[in-house]
Amino acid sequence: MLPLVDHHCHGVLRADPDEAAFEAFLTESDAPAAPGTSFFDTQLGFAMRRWCPPLLGLEPHCPPERYLTRRRDLGAAEANRLLLRASGIGTYLVDTGLPGDLTGPAELARLGGARAREIVRLEHLAERRGAEERDPDKFLAVLAEAIGAAAGTAAGFKSVAGYRYGLDFAPEPPGPAELRAATARWLSAGAGRITDPVLLRHLLWSAAHTGLPLQLHTGFGDPDLRLHRCDPLLLTDFIRAVRPTGCRLVLLHGYPYHRSAGYLAHVYPHVYADVGLSLAHTGARAEAVLAEFLELAPFGKLLFSTDAYGLAELYVVGARLYREALDRLLNGWTGSGAWSAADAERVAALVSAGNAERVYRA
Amino acid sequence: MLPLVDHHCHGVLRADPDEAAFEAFLTESDAPAAPGTSFFDTQLGFAMRRWCPPLLGLEPHCPPERYLTRRRDLGAAEANRLLLRASGIGTYLVDTGLPGDLTGPAELARLGGARAREIVRLEHLAERRGAEERDPDKFLAVLAEAIGAAAGTAAGFKSVAGYRYGLDFAPEPPGPAELRAATARWLSAGAGRITDPVLLRHLLWSAAHTGLPLQLHTGFGDPDLRLHRCDPLLLTDFIRAVRPTGCRLVLLHGYPYHRSAGYLAHVYPHVYADVGLSLAHTGARAEAVLAEFLELAPFGKLLFSTDAYGLAELYVVGARLYREALDRLLNGWTGSGAWSAADAERVAALVSAGNAERVYRA
Amino acid sequence: MLPLVDHHCHGVLRADPDEAAFEAFLTESDAPAAPGTSFFDTQLGFAMRRWCPPLLGLEPHCPPERYLTRRRDLGAAEANRLLLRASGIGTYLVDTGLPGDLTGPAELARLGGARAREIVRLEHLAERRGAEERDPDKFLAVLAEAIGAAAGTAAGFKSVAGYRYGLDFAPEPPGPAELRAATARWLSAGAGRITDPVLLRHLLWSAAHTGLPLQLHTGFGDPDLRLHRCDPLLLTDFIRAVRPTGCRLVLLHGYPYHRSAGYLAHVYPHVYADVGLSLAHTGARAEAVLAEFLELAPFGKLLFSTDAYGLAELYVVGARLYREALDRLLNGWTGSGAWSAADAERVAALVSAGNAERVYRA
């Protein structure tokens, strides 16, 4: 079986999560489940209980408590090792911009017996620099240098402008005066979370000019965002504006607007789409969701990822759901004669690894 | 078979509808079918002809005329009784705010051999008070009292702000001055249909403070609404604003934005989603639509309903389509090993009845 | 097998396309495929390779190069003849407003052994007149006359206002003063592509008053459009405003907003929906997409088309995908008892031909 390239994921927790922490990683919600309900009772929860217990020597669908007890008995390091090595992922591209005591790329690669490279989150990079350099002009120079340095080692950049503002930002790069003013405002207010669209756009354009692939959060995520402002179609004018730079844009997740992400990947040569979060969270429905991606997205433009974060289980679930969904779809299409077996095999290799290798030179 | 809790429906007609009236209840259109077409030629029409004729002693899919003749021969009361008792619904939560010579909750319960409680439609409640009390301050006091009284007996409230204005209203409660001015304007204009967003927001916030569940129309309905302004995501800021009150919001219908309703139910603890109208009108496609609800909505957050109105047939169709769709989905998922049989049974009980019992204390 | 009425298509190329030109007709993109990718690697590309090679004596799924060689050996005229005659299409309604050395309706009919009528593209008709008559008042008079003359022979009109501006235009007809001013501006600027919404609206209303069916581009297409501004729901106020004229509106394509197109066809008697582009480009997924159309759209309101353009292959692919998708859906629904066989046959005849014959009197 071809090792997968997971072009968008995060590290795993070094320590054992307790049951509440574990459950919190199964949802995009920022709050405990409503009274009388549980986030184990979701497609993701059920998929986790299907695929992971057997990897730790338990029967599928065993109760969460039994699974968590077994996991604790093994210890975080051993559980992480067992799970990651069973995921079938051969390369991790790791967005290192999330908080928590998480493994970095090298440690993740070691645990998983795989390769890893870094994806640099633009807002995180800028916020760290803002904590150290409070003069606007110097900050902007330091930022430019940091982005340039990152471009030398990273596999790509990532923006969460969708979370911080929405994707309905002005498409062109900000002018020098408005950029300097926005920078000064932000620095003098303490250089906290960047939400000013002027700064967010500056980060996007700075990354675009490096020539590295640029990942953009689109579609659903935690309640920090307003979902209708994360429709990837809102990026249309930015996509057009950035096209001459040669920057390749990778639209992450997309659900429930994933068909629109597929459309953009279809009509714009520099746009790619990602299955990410959309499969893990839809569980038994991953086949249906993946099929919708495979309507308009050219087969050379769709990329596998897990968006796994915190729990090694999420790598397993993301990878298994993807593989099973793809197998079923392709078997159906070759079985009916709609596709040839050779084409199906070729497309599977592209989406699983080849497209990411081409885009990220990974 | 577990009796269903139908948490959103309306009464049935006491009298026999003629063929044109019957056909009109099969559509959300406000006009006769286009020349050369019929509303019997819809998914709902076909589903009605599948499930209902056998309950009145006829073969499935018999022509509409034969069915209507048989129905008339039985008489409205007997037809209603036969159909409702075959629906498998054990509890009706009845929105009493629709016009027509319809059974109220008690009469519906008697006909169906079931229990019933009332859902109070906010706009209807306010409009009835406005017809009697034309002084703004007195009206607002009377309204507050009426909402408080309703909260003592009703199972919940319902808002049709989506129809009357759209869901893109300002999220916060209106201030006292703008509320008084809007009230005065509306009363002096004759206290007709409330369409002013200030009044609609006042009703929503008044209901929210009672602590009862609040149903909100979202998604498709009759051509009185503009569908793109009924995307439940437009409620995001209201959902956030109302969260501290503890009010539980139930997003009705949702189609074609039902995946977004599922997302909101996923990330906000006080938000629930409803299958309602989305299954009855999609007939042979109900399984596919229900499956899309079951992607992001946590299984403790999705509620069955029929949204039946006027025709007892609509209870039968809504309930049968739901049961059949759920059975097929769950059989598929347990058959492939994606879900355990015990989990499937548990989820079926939650969506069919348990979630509504918990939310409405019904 | 009932001959299809293809109510929305374009002509075929008279000459042989080379490989790059052939590939360009398989996509809505305006650019070559991204490095390392090919537009043959799409659902449409795979569907073409499934259905067309056997019609030219080759095995299904043979490599594109072999297919193109064979096609060239046969010559364009013979390949067009073979392909069109195998498409099963008995009537073509041909939008003649596209550029290129394309067959017109009569030539297409002759090649395909079928009937053909013209659909007049409003913007194209106006732009041709604008090239000849630069006085605003005279232009408007000439335009009115041309639309009247076209109404005497054409089967209907088509608007690409969605491409040129978006569907979020003001719903009412423009007033005389703003129309004259906009006309003067456009003419004095050289009478190029019409993008001014005032002129686009004038064309729409002029067509509406002729009583002929009016096709409107909605949903996806080439990157000349902004997809989120082609949601057919944005037409809601125009649909309401135009209703008293009696003009029937046919919403083309719709994807990914095709469920919303179905909704509009459901609630407004003068609105129809079209499967067009949505099936050809989704290939092995055509069944799933067609099924979504068949949720809310009344069965007397949905129309088959191919939107084929340039390549005779696109007629074959559009027709085969449609027939196979419909057969599978209907077999599934009759097999489960959801629909009767007689109803299924009747609905197939309506969507394949009957609805178009009624709407266009074709």
Side-chain angles (χ1 to χ4, degrees):
Chain A
M1 221 164 39
L2 188 73
L4 300 169
V5 176
D6 183 353
H7 83 105
H8 180 63
C9 61
H10 309 276
V12 298
L13 290 171
R14 293 201 179 89
D16 259 330
D18 64 18
E19 183 169 339
F22 191 97
E23 186 183 344
F25 276 105
L26 297 179
T27 174
E28 290 292 318
S29 182
D30 60 353
T37 76
S38 157
F39 288 119
F40 282 103
D41 284 349
T42 56
Q43 290 284 8
L44 175 53
F46 283 16
M48 192 284 293
R49 286 173 49 223
R50 175 191 195 179
W51 296 114
C52 298
L55 300 176
L56 305 191
L58 301 170
E59 72 282 18
H61 299 295
C62 76
E65 302 69 34
R66 191 186 309 167
Y67 178 78
L68 292 171
T69 302
R70 172 78 179 145
R71 194 187 201 280
R72 256 188 313 273
D73 290 348
L74 289 166
E78 176 63 5
N80 285 340
R81 208 188 56 84
L82 284 171
L83 292 163
L84 288 174
R85 288 183 184 236
S87 71
I89 298 168
T91 305
Y92 300 100
L93 303 191
V94 186
D95 166 6
T96 51
L98 275 173
D101 182 29
L102 300 171
T103 57
E107 192 177 351
L108 186 65
R110 210 160 45 240
L111 274 169
R115 303 164 58 233
R117 289 184 65 196
E118 186 178 10
I119 300 287
V120 172
R121 190 184 284 218
L122 292 165
E123 294 80 5
H124 185 242
L125 176 147
E127 285 156 6
R128 276 188 303 157
R129 295 308 177 286
E132 292 159 9
E133 177 51 68
R134 296 301 178 93
D135 174 80
D137 294 317
K138 286 190 191 156
F139 167 80
L140 288 169
V142 166
L143 177 65
E145 203 180 338
I147 289 177
T153 59
F157 288 101
K158 175 180 176 188
S159 160
V160 292
Y163 270 97
R164 296 297 182 83
Y165 177 78
L167 300 177
D168 48 350
F169 51 80
E172 67 279 1
E178 61 172 337
L179 174 59
R180 201 190 175 285
T183 304
R185 261 197 319 275
W186 171 66
L187 290 170
S188 70
R193 272 172 101 250
I194 297 176
T195 58
D196 186 327
V198 170
L199 299 181
L200 295 168
R201 288 158 54 206
H202 177 64
L203 295 174
L204 289 168
W205 281 95
S206 300
H209 285 298
T210 66
L212 256 62
L214 172 54
Q215 304 179 341
L216 286 148
H217 178 96
T218 75
F220 88 113
D222 69 54
D224 199 24
L225 58 73
R226 286 167 175 78
L227 183 49
H228 55 300
R229 291 183 59 192
C230 290
D231 181 342
L233 293 178
L234 297 172
L235 290 168
T236 303
D237 288 334
F238 174 71
I239 289 170
R240 293 177 183 186
V242 89
R243 187 168 168 177
T245 67
C247 176
R248 286 148 297 158
L249 302 174
V250 186
L251 308 178
L252 301 176
H253 320 312
Y255 183 101
Y257 305 111
H258 45 294
R259 282 171 154 167
S260 294
Y263 165 77
L264 293 168
H266 180 110
V267 295
Y268 295 107
H270 58 310
V271 174
Y272 295 79
D274 157 71
V275 304
L277 210 51
S278 303
L279 301 193
H281 276 278
T282 56
R285 289 284 299 166
E287 180 187 346
V289 174
L290 179 60
E292 292 175 347
F293 273 109
L294 289 169
E295 288 167 2
L296 284 198
F299 308 135
K301 292 293 210 74
L302 186 65
L303 283 72
F304 161 74
S305 81
T306 61
D307 195 34
Y309 169 39
L311 304 181
E313 281 81 357
L314 298 179
Y315 291 89
V316 172
V317 168
R320 295 286 170 107
L321 286 174
Y322 163 74
R323 287 227 205 241
E324 195 192 51
L326 189 66
D327 278 357
R328 282 171 173 248
L329 283 176
L330 299 184
N331 286 340
W333 294 340
T334 54
S336 73
W339 287 28
S340 74
D343 281 332
E345 201 174 328
R346 198 163 52 84
V347 169
L350 286 172
V351 180
S352 300
N355 291 336
E357 287 162 357
R358 183 180 351 101
V359 171
Y360 296 97
R361 302 186 175 94
Chain B
M1 221 165 38
L2 189 73
L4 300 168
V5 176
D6 183 354
H7 84 105
H8 180 63
C9 60
H10 310 277
V12 296
L13 289 171
R14 292 200 179 92
D16 259 331
D18 63 19
E19 184 169 338
F22 191 97
E23 187 183 344
F25 276 105
L26 296 179
T27 173
E28 289 292 318
S29 182
D30 61 353
T37 76
S38 157
F39 288 120
F40 283 102
D41 285 348
T42 55
Q43 290 284 7
L44 175 53
F46 283 17
M48 193 284 293
R49 286 174 48 225
R50 174 192 196 179
W51 296 114
C52 297
L55 300 176
L56 305 190
L58 300 170
E59 72 280 20
H61 299 295
C62 74
E65 303 68 35
R66 190 185 311 168
Y67 179 78
L68 291 171
T69 302
R70 171 79 180 143
R71 195 187 200 280
R72 258 191 311 276
D73 290 347
L74 289 167
E78 178 62 5
N80 284 341
R81 207 187 56 83
L82 284 171
L83 291 162
L84 289 174
R85 288 182 186 239
S87 71
I89 298 168
T91 305
Y92 301 100
L93 303 191
V94 186
D95 166 5
T96 51
L98 275 173
D101 182 28
L102 302 170
T103 57
E107 192 178 351
L108 186 66
R110 210 161 45 241
L111 274 169
R115 303 164 57 233
R117 290 184 65 194
E118 187 178 9
I119 300 286
V120 172
R121 189 184 284 221
L122 291 164
E123 293 81 5
H124 184 242
L125 177 148
E127 285 156 8
R128 276 189 300 156
R129 295 308 177 286
E132 292 160 10
E133 177 52 69
R134 296 298 179 96
D135 175 81
D137 294 316
K138 285 190 191 156
F139 166 80
L140 289 169
V142 166
L143 177 65
E145 203 179 338
I147 289 175
T153 59
F157 289 101
K158 176 180 176 189
S159 161
V160 291
Y163 270 98
R164 297 297 181 82
Y165 176 78
L167 300 177
D168 48 350
F169 51 80
E172 66 280 358
E178 61 171 338
L179 174 59
R180 201 190 174 284
T183 304
R185 263 198 316 276
W186 171 65
L187 289 171
S188 69
R193 270 172 103 252
I194 297 175
T195 58
D196 185 327
V198 170
L199 299 182
L200 295 168
R201 287 158 57 206
H202 176 64
L203 295 175
L204 287 169
W205 280 96
S206 299
H209 286 298
T210 67
L212 255 62
L214 172 55
Q215 303 179 341
L216 287 148
H217 178 95
T218 74
F220 88 114
D222 69 55
D224 199 24
L225 58 74
R226 285 168 176 80
L227 182 48
H228 55 299
R229 292 182 58 194
C230 289
D231 181 342
L233 293 178
L234 298 173
L235 290 168
T236 303
D237 288 334
F238 174 71
I239 289 170
R240 293 177 183 186
V242 87
R243 187 168 169 176
T245 67
C247 176
R248 285 148 297 159
L249 302 173
V250 186
L251 308 179
L252 301 176
H253 321 311
Y255 183 100
Y257 306 112
H258 45 294
R259 282 171 155 168
S260 294
Y263 166 76
L264 293 168
H266 181 108
V267 295
Y268 294 107
H270 59 307
V271 174
Y272 296 79
D274 158 70
V275 303
L277 212 49
S278 304
L279 301 194
H281 277 277
T282 56
R285 288 285 298 166
E287 180 185 347
V289 174
L290 180 60
E292 292 176 346
F293 273 110
L294 289 169
E295 288 167 3
L296 283 198
F299 307 135
K301 291 294 211 72
L302 186 66
L303 282 71
F304 161 74
S305 80
T306 62
D307 196 33
Y309 168 40
L311 304 180
E313 281 82 357
L314 297 178
Y315 292 90
V316 172
V317 168
R320 294 287 168 108
L321 286 174
Y322 163 74
R323 288 224 205 242
E324 196 192 51
L326 190 66
D327 278 357
R328 282 170 174 250
L329 283 175
L330 299 184
N331 286 340
W333 294 341
T334 54
S336 72
W339 286 28
S340 74
D343 280 332
E345 200 174 330
R346 198 162 53 82
V347 169
L350 286 172
V351 180
S352 300
N355 291 337
E357 288 163 356
R358 183 181 351 100
V359 171
Y360 296 97
R361 301 183 177 97
Chain C
M1 220 165 38
L2 188 71
L4 300 169
V5 176
D6 183 353
H7 83 106
H8 180 65
C9 60
H10 310 278
V12 297
L13 289 171
R14 292 201 179 90
D16 258 332
D18 64 17
E19 183 168 340
F22 191 96
E23 185 182 345
F25 276 105
L26 297 179
T27 173
E28 290 292 318
S29 183
D30 60 353
T37 77
S38 158
F39 287 120
F40 283 103
D41 285 348
T42 55
Q43 289 284 8
L44 175 53
F46 283 15
M48 193 283 292
R49 285 175 48 225
R50 175 194 195 177
W51 296 114
C52 298
L55 300 177
L56 304 191
L58 300 170
E59 72 282 19
H61 299 296
C62 75
E65 302 69 35
R66 189 185 311 166
Y67 179 77
L68 291 171
T69 303
R70 171 81 179 142
R71 195 186 200 282
R72 256 190 313 273
D73 290 347
L74 289 167
E78 177 63 6
N80 284 341
R81 208 188 56 83
L82 284 171
L83 292 163
L84 289 174
R85 288 182 185 238
S87 71
I89 297 169
T91 305
Y92 300 99
L93 304 191
V94 185
D95 167 5
T96 52
L98 276 172
D101 182 28
L102 300 171
T103 58
E107 192 177 351
L108 186 66
R110 208 159 46 239
L111 275 169
R115 303 164 56 233
R117 290 184 65 195
E118 187 178 10
I119 300 286
V120 172
R121 190 185 284 221
L122 292 165
E123 293 79 6
H124 185 242
L125 177 148
E127 285 156 8
R128 276 189 301 155
R129 295 308 176 286
E132 294 159 11
E133 177 51 70
R134 295 301 177 94
D135 175 80
D137 294 316
K138 286 190 192 156
F139 167 79
L140 288 169
V142 166
L143 177 65
E145 202 179 340
I147 289 177
T153 58
F157 289 100
K158 177 181 175 187
S159 160
V160 291
Y163 270 97
R164 297 298 181 83
Y165 176 78
L167 300 177
D168 48 350
F169 52 80
E172 68 279 359
E178 62 171 338
L179 175 59
R180 200 187 176 287
T183 304
R185 261 196 318 275
W186 172 65
L187 289 171
S188 70
R193 270 172 104 252
I194 298 176
T195 58
D196 185 328
V198 170
L199 299 182
L200 295 169
R201 286 158 56 207
H202 176 65
L203 295 175
L204 288 169
W205 280 95
S206 300
H209 285 299
T210 66
L212 256 62
L214 172 54
Q215 303 179 342
L216 288 147
H217 179 95
T218 74
F220 87 114
D222 69 55
D224 199 25
L225 59 73
R226 284 167 176 81
L227 182 49
H228 55 299
R229 292 183 57 192
C230 290
D231 181 342
L233 293 178
L234 297 173
L235 290 168
T236 304
D237 288 335
F238 174 70
I239 289 170
R240 293 177 184 187
V242 89
R243 186 168 170 176
T245 67
C247 176
R248 285 148 297 158
L249 303 173
V250 187
L251 308 178
L252 301 176
H253 320 308
Y255 184 100
Y257 305 112
H258 46 292
R259 282 170 155 168
S260 294
Y263 166 76
L264 293 168
H266 181 109
V267 295
Y268 294 107
H270 58 309
V271 175
Y272 295 78
D274 157 72
V275 304
L277 211 51
S278 305
L279 301 193
H281 277 278
T282 56
R285 288 286 297 165
E287 179 185 348
V289 174
L290 180 60
E292 291 175 347
F293 273 110
L294 289 169
E295 288 167 1
L296 283 198
F299 307 135
K301 293 291 210 74
L302 187 65
L303 281 72
F304 162 74
S305 81
T306 62
D307 196 33
Y309 169 39
L311 303 181
E313 282 81 357
L314 298 178
Y315 292 89
V316 172
V317 168
R320 295 287 169 108
L321 286 173
Y322 164 74
R323 288 227 204 242
E324 194 191 53
L326 190 66
D327 278 357
R328 282 171 174 248
L329 282 175
L330 299 184
N331 286 339
W333 294 341
T334 54
S336 73
W339 286 29
S340 74
D343 280 333
E345 200 175 330
R346 198 161 54 80
V347 168
L350 286 172
V351 180
S352 301
N355 291 336
E357 287 163 357
R358 183 179 353 99
V359 171
Y360 296 97
R361 301 185 178 97

